[in-house]
Amino acid sequence: MTDLDRERLACALERAFESEEGERRAVVRAAGDLADSGRLAADRGEPLTVETVVSELADAPDGSSLAERWNWWVGALAVAYGDAYAQFGVRRHG
């Protein structure tokens, strides 16, 4: 079980990034899957939080969509910790 509050994450993403509901829903689902996996907590020593997601996605290149921001971060995690993070990318939304 994870402590990631998916509803709170959806609201935080809506406030922080211009996006459509389907795109937010896909990113929230991927973030929830990542949190539930325990992989990030094991690699970083701390659980995935709403604040972490928003902060990390804010570092993505300007002009990126929400899904692009998420995939950019997941890609960085894959470089840092291994390719297993690729499964948490957002491929489709809508």
Side-chain angles (χ1 to χ4, degrees):
M1 185 75 175
T2 178
D3 290 334
L4 183 67
D5 184 330
R6 289 163 173 79
E7 186 174 322
R8 200 170 130 241
L9 177 59
C11 291
L13 292 174
E14 183 175 15
R15 284 191 306 272
F17 308 105
E18 187 175 316
S19 59
E20 297 291 328
E21 182 180 349
E23 185 178 25
R24 280 191 308 277
R25 193 170 41 246
V27 170
V28 168
R29 186 179 318 115
D33 290 348
L34 176 56
D36 288 346
S37 77
R39 184 176 311 279
L40 190 68
D43 287 339
R44 286 187 151 183
E46 56 189 37
L48 185 61
T49 66
V50 170
E51 294 76 18
T52 299
V53 172
V54 172
S55 174
E56 294 289 354
L57 300 191
D59 287 340
D62 291 339
S64 297
S65 71
L66 179 59
E68 290 168 339
R69 288 173 180 277
W70 174 261
N71 288 337
W72 173 85
W73 184 48
V74 168
L77 291 171
V79 168
Y81 301 110
D83 287 338
Y85 281 93
Q87 69 181 312
F88 300 105
V90 171
R91 290 163 192 75
R92 299 179 70 184
H93 58 81

